[in-house]
C-alpha cells in the first residue's frame, strides 16, 4: 500500500488511533470517544490509506499495534502532549498569568516613566518577563522595523512619519526656554494669556550661550530646524546627552536651553531657581509623544496591557496639554 500524496493528520485522528490502541478494539474506543463505531472504523481506514501502512493487526485477543502502529502511537503521544502544552501556554498568556514583553523607550522617558509603570505592573502580573531596549528615537525606529521590539514609547518630530511604523500620538509637546530666575533674558519676555509662560522673541537668544544636546538627538533636530527657519546661528557653549543635566545648568545661569515643556515637570530644579519662557507657536518648536508600533505587526494581550499602564502613567506624570 503506497502512501497518498499530501497525506496529513490532525489531533482528532491522532486521538482516534491512540484510543483504539489503549482499548484494544474499535467498539470500545468508539464508546470512550462517544462516536459511532462505523464512523470510527471508516476514520481508521482513511488514516491507514493516507499513510500507506496498516496500524493494527487482528488477533484472538483483539487489535494489536503493528510496527508502523507502534511508531504512529509513540509519535501521537508526543504530538498530543506538545499540542496540549501549547494550548495551556496560550491560555496562560491570554489570562496574563505568564508571557513575554519586549519594548523600547527613550532613556529620559525611561527614567521618569518606568518607576511609575513597572512596579505596579509586576505586582499584578509577576510571571510576565520583560525586556527593555533603551535607545534614542531613531534607534527605536530601526528596532521596530527589524521586529526586535513590539512597541516603543518615544518622541517624534511633528509631521514626521514612516510607512513602516504607526505612531499613536498622545499630544503635541511645545518647547520652552529655560534660564535662571535672574537672567536678563527673562526680563525681555512679555506676558501673553495665550501662553503658559512669558513669551520671548527668539531673536533675543541669538547671541546668548546655548546649552543643548548633541547633533542627531531629536531635541536637537527641533532646535536646528527652528534656528534654520529664523536665520539664527546659535552660540553653542555646551552639549550633553542628558537634557536634564542641560536644563539644570541653565537654571544655574550658565546659559539658556530649549526643550520640551513636559520636562519642566520632571526636572530637579529647585522652586524659584529657574524661569521658563514660551516661544511663539508660529515657530512650530515642538515634538509629539507617541507609542510606536510596526505597521504590519501585532500586539499580544500582555503588550496591550503594558501599554495601558504607560498611558495612565503619561497622563498622571507628564501632565501635557492635549492635542487640539
Amino acid at each position: 500500500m503506497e502512501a497518498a500524496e499530501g497525506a496529513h493528520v490532525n489531533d482528532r485522528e491522532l486521538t482516534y488511533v491512540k484510543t483504539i490502541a489503549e482499548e484494544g478494539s474499535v467498539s470500545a474506543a468508539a464508546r470512550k470517544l462517544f462516536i459511532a463505531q462505523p464512523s470510527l472504523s471508516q476514520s481508521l481506514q482513511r488514516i491507514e490509506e493516507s499513510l500507506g501502512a496498516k496500524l493494527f493487526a487482528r488477533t484472538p485477543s483483539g487489535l494489536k499495534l503493528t510496527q508502523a502502529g507502534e511508531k504512529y502511537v509513540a509519535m501521537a503521544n508526543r504530538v498530543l502532549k506538545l499540542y496540549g502544552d501549547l494550548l495551556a501556554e496560550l491560555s496562560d498568556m491570554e489570562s496574563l498569568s505568564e508571557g513575554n514583553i519586549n519594548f523600547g523607550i527613550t532613556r529620559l522617558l525611561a527614567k521618569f516613566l518606568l518607576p511609575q509603570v513597572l512596579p505596579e505592573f509586576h505586582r499584578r502580573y509577576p510571571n510576565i518577563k520583560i525586556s527593555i531596549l533603551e535607545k534614542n528615537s531613531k534607534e527605536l525606529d530601526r528596532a521596530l522595523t527589524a521586529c526586535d521590539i513590539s512597541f516603543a514609547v518615544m518622541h517624534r518630530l511633528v509631521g514626521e512619519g514612516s510607512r513602516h511604523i504607526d505612531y499613536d500620538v498622545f499630544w503635541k509637546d511645545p518647547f520652552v526656554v529655560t534660564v535662571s530666575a535672574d537672567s536678563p533674558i527673562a526680563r525681555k519676555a512679555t506676558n501673553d494669556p495665550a501662553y503658559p509662560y512669558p513669551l520671548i522673541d527668539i531673536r533675543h537668544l541669538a547671541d546668548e550661550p546655548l546649552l543643548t544636546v548633541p547633533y542627531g538627538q531629536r531635541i536637537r533636530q527641533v532646535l536646528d530646524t527652528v534656528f534654520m527657519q529664523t536665520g539664527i546661528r546659535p552660540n553653542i557653549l555646551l552639549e550633553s546627552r542628558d537634557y536634564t543635566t542641560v536644563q539644570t545648568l541653565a537654571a544655574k545661569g550658565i546659559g539658556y536651553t530649549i526643550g520640551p515643556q513636559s520636562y519642566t515637570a520632571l526636572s530637579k530644579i529647585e522652586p524659584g531657581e529657574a524661569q521658563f519662557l514660551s516661544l511663539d507657536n508660529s515657530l512650530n518648536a515642538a515634538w509629539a509623544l507617541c507609542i510606536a508600533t510596526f505597521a504590519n505587526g501585532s500586539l499580544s494581550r500582555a503588550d496591550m496591557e503594558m501599554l495601558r499602564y504607560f498611558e495612565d502613567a503619561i497622563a498622571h506624570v507628564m501632565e501635557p496639554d492635549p492635542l487640539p
Side-chain angles (χ1 to χ4, degrees):
M1 184 184 295
E2 295 183 358
E5 185 177 352
H8 65 279
V9 295
N10 55 44
D11 64 307
R12 182 179 60 183
E13 293 173 344
L14 294 173
T15 301
Y16 284 174
V17 174
K18 179 175 180 291
T19 306
I20 293 171
E22 291 171 347
E23 298 299 316
S25 73
V26 173
S27 58
R31 287 193 296 272
K32 186 173 183 178
L33 294 168
F34 299 101
I35 60 176
Q37 179 179 337
S39 177
L40 182 56
S41 296
Q42 291 171 6
S43 295
L44 176 59
Q45 183 179 354
R46 285 195 300 270
I47 294 169
E48 290 180 327
E49 288 176 352
S50 70
L51 293 172
K54 285 288 187 180
L55 300 180
F56 294 95
R58 293 188 179 277
T59 70
S61 59
L63 295 178
K64 298 294 183 182
L65 288 168
T66 63
Q67 186 176 7
E70 289 177 352
K71 290 183 177 295
Y72 185 98
V73 170
M75 182 62 70
N77 287 332
R78 291 197 292 271
V79 171
L80 290 171
K81 173 65 166 59
L82 288 172
Y83 185 61
D85 291 345
L86 173 62
L87 293 179
E89 184 174 342
L90 292 176
S91 177
D92 286 340
M93 291 175 65
E94 187 65 20
S95 63
L96 297 182
S97 59
E98 66 176 44
N100 295 279
I101 300 176
N102 298 299
F103 71 90
I105 187 169
T106 57
R107 294 182 179 92
L108 194 54
L109 287 175
K111 181 184 298 185
F112 297 107
L113 290 179
L114 294 187
Q116 305 296 323
V117 171
L118 295 188
E120 182 60 30
F121 186 89
H122 178 68
R123 278 193 291 271
R124 185 166 183 181
Y125 307 110
N127 295 320
I128 292 182
K129 298 178 181 179
I130 300 170
S131 177
I132 304 169
L133 179 67
E134 292 186 40
K135 296 287 184 179
N136 64 39
S137 295
K138 282 189 174 181
E139 292 168 326
L140 292 178
D141 277 344
R142 288 195 289 269
L144 280 168
T145 303
C147 297
D148 293 333
I149 53 177
S150 297
F151 66 88
V153 183
M154 56 190 285
H155 291 97
R156 72 178 180 93
L157 305 183
V158 176
E160 181 184 25
S162 168
R163 61 190 179 92
H164 299 296
I165 299 173
D166 291 331
Y167 297 99
D168 183 11
V169 177
F170 283 99
W171 37 268
K172 180 179 176 181
D173 192 8
F175 278 32
V176 297
V177 179
T178 301
V179 295
S180 64
D182 58 356
S183 170
I185 297 175
R187 293 195 290 271
K188 298 176 182 178
T190 59
N191 291 321
D192 188 322
Y195 293 88
Y197 303 110
L199 183 64
I200 186 71
D201 188 326
I202 196 170
R203 290 173 294 183
H204 292 314
L205 306 176
D207 298 322
E208 301 293 335
L210 171 64
L211 317 180
T212 188
V213 296
Y215 178 81
Q217 290 187 228
R218 280 202 164 133
I219 289 178
R220 179 65 175 272
Q221 287 180 269
V222 174
L223 299 193
D224 288 346
T225 300
V226 170
F227 286 131
M228 184 178 298
Q229 290 173 346
T230 54
I232 294 174
R233 186 174 182 178
N235 175 23
I236 299 176
L237 176 67
L238 177 148
E239 293 180 344
S240 171
R241 289 187 62 85
D242 189 335
Y243 180 72
T244 57
T245 298
V246 169
Q247 193 176 43
T248 301
L249 292 173
K252 297 293 184 181
I254 295 178
Y256 76 95
T257 190
I258 302 176
Q261 178 180 319
S262 62
Y263 285 11
T264 62
L266 307 176
S267 67
K268 302 300 182 181
I269 299 172
E270 295 294 329
E273 187 177 27
Q275 174 66 59
F276 302 114
L277 307 172
S278 294
L279 293 169
D280 194 286
N281 290 334
S282 64
L283 297 174
N284 202 26
W287 66 6
L289 177 62
C290 62
I291 289 178
T293 55
F294 185 55
N296 296 321
S298 60
L299 296 176
S300 68
R301 188 180 171 199
D303 290 330
M304 291 187 287
E305 183 68 0
M306 176 68 82
L307 285 176
R308 187 178 68 81
Y309 274 73
F310 269 111
E311 291 168 1
D312 290 345
I314 289 169
H316 289 92
V317 177
M318 308 296 283
E319 296 183 349
D321 292 329
L323 279 170

